[in-house]
Amino acid sequence: MTEQQHPHHDPSWRDTRHPQSGAIAIIAAEEADARTHPEDHPRRGTAAWWGHLFKQLMKFGLIGGLGVVVDMGVFNWLRATVLSPSEVTWGPMAANIIATLVAIIFNWAGNRFWTFRKERHHTSTSREAIEFFAVSLAGMLIGLLPLWFTHYGMGWTSPIADNISKLVGIGLGSVFRFALYRWWVYSPSRATT
């Protein structure tokens, strides 16, 4: 039989995966792809399935963890230097935005070229980037709320308070991104679009 008769042998059929920030998003992506193309995936719950998932989760976790380090490092460096709250009133917010954008770019590149390298299409770069950055920017806006509330609303302006608020913001943004990855980006209903 030819590749046309068996599209699962043709790599161009594969659903586009998006490098995202959340272990659950990987499971959602695997689940959606396995439902659409069961012949190309190990049966759910088998040793091969768990092995593949574990390997991908480890890669994803490493990129995500490094992304948090990049985000927090850039934030603290900017907050302590050029965007110090004693010098720039909105310095912590600007530092948060810049740090998050740097981390978004880092996470996208790391996941695109390492975690999901084998699962992505070369022709889907623009769609992948647009969806990834749209979801990430919306998550960033949500992530800004705790810092804005504590630093400007409550007057808790110490570096420790700002860092705790930033971490809470990263968590809230991740929950939001997961919801969009699960029900929009990785939705099984989008597999044919």
Side-chain angles (χ1 to χ4, degrees):
M1 296 192 140
T2 67
E3 280 189 4
Q4 271 188 329
Q5 292 169 318
H6 285 300
H8 61 277
H9 293 295
D10 177 8
S12 67
W13 71 263
R14 293 192 62 83
D15 297 330
T16 301
R17 300 277 176 77
H18 301 270
Q20 309 298 343
S21 58
I24 304 300
I26 294 172
I27 295 168
E30 284 294 315
E31 210 44 47
D33 200 54
R35 283 188 202 137
T36 307
H37 306 287
E39 69 282 352
D40 196 51
H41 292 272
R43 242 172 48 138
R44 186 175 182 198
T46 63
W49 183 84
W50 283 109
H52 176 72
L53 181 61
F54 179 76
K55 188 176 179 181
Q56 209 168 34
L57 283 171
M58 290 294 96
K59 288 180 177 181
F60 191 85
L62 181 60
I63 295 297
L66 290 172
V68 170
V69 169
V70 167
D71 194 345
M72 295 300 293
V74 171
F75 171 74
N76 281 295
W77 177 75
L78 290 171
R79 190 193 181 286
T81 58
V82 296
L83 294 174
S84 169
S86 62
E87 301 295 321
V88 180
T89 304
W90 290 95
M93 291 298 284
N96 196 0
I97 292 168
I98 293 166
T100 303
L101 290 173
V102 170
I104 287 169
I105 293 166
F106 174 84
N107 287 340
W108 182 68
N111 284 307
R112 177 179 172 77
F113 295 112
W114 189 46
T115 307
F116 298 108
R117 178 175 48 90
K118 293 179 183 176
E119 287 88 359
R120 42 167 299 279
H121 289 270
H122 294 291
T123 59
S124 66
T125 304
S126 60
R127 177 179 164 193
E128 176 186 277
I130 289 168
E131 290 181 358
F132 179 78
F133 284 104
V135 171
S136 295
L137 290 174
M140 178 188 73
L141 294 175
I142 290 170
L144 290 172
L145 294 176
L147 179 64
W148 175 82
F149 178 73
T150 59
H151 191 94
Y152 301 100
M154 301 294 291
W156 300 343
T157 60
S158 73
I160 292 173
D162 284 354
N163 276 282
I164 291 170
S165 297
K166 174 119 177 92
L167 287 172
V168 169
I170 289 171
L172 291 174
S174 295
V175 169
F176 170 80
R177 286 187 296 269
F178 164 70
L180 262 68
Y181 301 153
R182 176 69 180 92
W183 290 292
W184 179 54
V185 176
Y186 290 133
S187 173
S189 64
R190 297 187 73 210
T192 58
T193 61

